[in-house]
Amino acid sequence: MTRVACIGECMIELRQATAGPSSGLYARGYGGDTLNTAVYLSRLGVDVDYITALGDDALSEEMIAGWTAEGIGTKRVARLPGKLPGLYLIQTDDKGERRFFHWRDSAAARSLMDLPETEDILNSLASYDVVYLSAITLSILQEAGRERLMTGLKRARLLGTRFAFDTNFRARGWPDLNVARKAFSAAFEGADIVLASTEDLAPLYPGESAAALLAGISSPEVVLKLAEPACILRFAGGSGEVRAEPLIKPAVDTTAAGDSFAAAYLAARLSGAGPEDAARAGHRLAGVVVCYPGAIIPRYAMPPKRAPRPSTSRKASS
């Protein structure tokens, strides 16, 4: 069976329990961009492990139990005595657009590349078919930690593992834009698949057109989501544009729209679908996710699986 590792941070999530900008009632859950992707990958039938660091507190135990219930492997989760997970709060407007507030400066996940078990974690990457991480994963690490992670990924790729990178960009997570650009360039150079968006890249490369942003990504397979509900693709042997179908319900929360798109895209590619069909699958799942509050939708709300059509293009080499 195809195996995927998702690397990143999961935090305690507080989301508005009742509508209205002045509401003071919040529901507690958990989420984080790569963890959200791991959940949706597992629900789509992919064998997935989550790689992160947590504390030894009750909330961290609750996370582990929740991930296990979702079918996510946790053997690569480091546990740090005395540490806690980070926390974020979601505030949404009347159109479902979200705003995040974070408390994560001392979160356990920030130490992931500085632990006694770090080398074992990095060596384990070669046992996976795909390793997925995001720009947020890179932003919570110090520069030495980012370099250590990228070196581990390079070793794994030499042994056949593919690297998928999501450009999920939050400016406040970086000391300055030049540091972020350097990290993005290294990821673009090393990744087999890049899942990007103009929303993420515009602050880093202001004034660039979508075509210029796409051209600036050196990876062999790229999905660039546009401001409108569509994406453009570049892959070995072709390119194209895929538009999303209209929403069947009003959007209430756009949290995890990109994370779920990434999960459905990767799951479809791993099952043999071509990039265009994979992008349609991504749009389809994201279009359901935005109709529910929070990062993780109820299981019953997952769209039915569709059999993939075989790819007519060559897969990106590793």
Side-chain angles (χ1 to χ4, degrees):
M1 178 183 288
T2 300
R3 300 179 67 230
V4 174
C6 294
I7 307 176
E9 177 186 25
C10 182
M11 293 173 283
I12 302 300
E13 176 189 87
L14 298 179
R15 66 180 183 273
Q16 288 174 277
T18 56
S22 61
S23 170
L25 296 178
Y26 289 84
R28 179 171 63 82
Y30 59 85
D33 63 340
T34 56
L35 185 278
N36 303 335
T37 299
V39 169
Y40 289 117
L41 279 169
S42 182
R43 290 184 179 184
L44 292 168
V46 177
D47 184 3
V48 58
D49 287 348
Y50 196 57
I51 298 177
T52 191
L54 290 175
D56 57 355
D57 58 290
L59 292 174
S60 294
E61 291 291 344
E62 184 179 297
M63 285 185 183
I64 292 287
W67 304 347
T68 301
E70 287 284 358
I72 297 170
T74 59
K75 63 184 177 182
R76 296 296 177 187
V77 177
R79 305 299 297 275
L80 309 185
K83 284 287 191 178
L84 294 168
L87 179 148
Y88 72 100
L89 181 149
I90 305 172
Q91 188 178 71
T92 54
D93 63 19
D94 293 339
K95 297 180 180 179
E97 289 300 325
R98 77 277 196 240
R99 183 182 182 192
F100 295 108
F101 300 87
H102 292 88
W103 294 264
R104 72 199 310 185
D105 288 348
S106 60
R110 300 180 76 91
S111 303
L112 183 61
M113 290 292 110
D114 305 307
L115 305 174
E117 55 264 59
T118 296
E119 199 60 27
D120 287 341
I121 289 173
L122 292 175
N123 288 335
S124 76
L125 300 182
S127 67
Y128 296 96
D129 296 282
V130 174
V131 174
Y132 170 84
L133 58 88
S134 75
I136 291 181
T137 307
L138 298 180
S139 74
I140 67 171
L141 304 173
Q142 297 297 319
E143 184 173 2
R146 287 193 292 270
E147 292 178 358
R148 193 175 185 185
L149 176 55
M150 295 305 296
T151 298
L153 285 166
K154 287 179 182 177
R155 290 201 306 262
R157 290 183 73 241
L158 291 173
L159 296 172
T161 297
R162 288 190 288 169
F163 167 33
F165 176 66
D166 193 307
T167 62
N168 203 357
F169 177 71
R170 300 289 182 270
R172 60 184 169 272
W174 297 91
D176 62 61
L177 293 183
N178 286 330
V179 173
R181 291 186 189 106
K182 179 181 177 182
F184 271 60
S185 294
F188 291 160
E189 183 178 345
D192 299 283
I193 300 173
V194 168
L195 297 145
S197 73
T198 54
E199 179 184 9
D200 290 334
L201 298 182
L204 283 171
Y205 311 103
E208 296 283 4
S209 65
L213 292 173
L214 187 66
I217 301 174
S218 56
S219 307
E221 182 170 331
V222 184
V223 182
L224 181 64
K225 286 166 282 181
L226 306 176
E228 62 266 28
C231 64
I232 51 179
L233 310 171
R234 188 189 70 224
F235 50 90
S239 61
E241 178 175 328
V242 176
R243 303 196 67 83
E245 298 174 2
L247 296 180
I248 59 174
K249 295 180 181 179
V252 298
D253 186 350
T254 57
T255 303
D259 310 332
S260 56
F261 180 101
Y265 184 89
L266 292 174
R269 291 293 280 134
L270 290 169
S271 67
E276 295 97 333
D277 280 344
R280 292 185 186 97
H283 284 312
R284 189 161 54 248
L285 180 56
V288 173
V289 168
V290 299
C291 298
Y292 292 82
I296 308 298
I297 65 174
R299 281 181 173 272
Y300 66 77
M302 291 289 293
K305 296 179 182 178
R306 298 186 185 180
R309 288 180 285 183
S311 173
T312 57
S313 62
R314 293 188 297 110
K315 290 184 179 179
S317 61
S318 41

